Amino acid sequence: QVQVVESGGGLVQAGGSLRLSCVVTGSIFSINTMGWYRQAPGKQRELVATITSDSNTNFADSVKGRFTISRDNAKNMVFLQMNSLKPEDTAVYYCYADAYYYSNYMGDYWGQGTQVTVSS
């Protein structure tokens, strides 16, 4: 059973910072891509940032220069540092990971989400 658990969301004023954390547990051997997506009310879920096991990163244009992503491969954790937050960053943020058991692809796994609210 693979579990994905996020933490670190909350309420912050515009211009402030938050750091999201995510840990993946269970019977897995490795994770290739980890990342963060978000979904605002009435909108589709969208990519925020991803990072591969060899640290290649990808960011949505809307967060470039403000958000950074990092991971701890030994602990199966991924982090999202969010700076200069804007009200439009308000959303539920979901952690994502693709898990492998040795070379066998197990599937994509998602957390339950953590709310980030940025007040103006």
Side-chain angles (χ1 to χ4, degrees):
Q1 186 83 11
V2 177
Q3 290 188 315
V4 181
V5 180
E6 307 102 333
S7 60
L11 173 64
V12 64
Q13 287 188 332
S17 298
L18 281 174
R19 185 176 189 247
L20 305 183
S21 300
C22 170
V23 60
V24 180
T25 61
S27 299
I28 58 176
F29 181 72
S30 64
I31 300 171
N32 181 29
T33 302
M34 303 184 81
W36 296 90
Y37 287 69
R38 68 186 180 187
Q39 187 166 17
K43 295 187 177 181
Q44 290 187 331
R45 189 174 296 189
E46 63 177 5
L47 179 145
V48 177
T50 59
I51 182 168
T52 63
S53 57
D54 54 357
S55 300
N56 289 316
T57 59
N58 182 41
F59 293 91
D61 288 342
S62 59
V63 307
K64 285 180 180 176
R66 300 188 297 123
F67 292 9
T68 58
I69 188 169
S70 60
R71 65 189 279 176
D72 183 332
N73 290 329
K75 296 180 179 179
N76 289 334
M77 295 188 72
V78 64
F79 309 95
L80 185 69
Q81 179 67 42
M82 304 184 293
N83 298 327
S84 302
L85 282 160
K86 304 175 181 180
E88 50 264 44
D89 294 318
T90 295
V92 177
Y93 283 69
Y94 296 90
C95 179
Y96 157 84
D98 61 359
Y100 290 79
Y101 187 74
Y102 291 94
S103 61
N104 298 316
Y105 173 66
M106 297 174 64
D108 297 342
Y109 294 88
W110 295 87
Q112 293 296 310
T114 185
Q115 177 70 45
V116 171
T117 303
V118 184
S119 63
S120 57

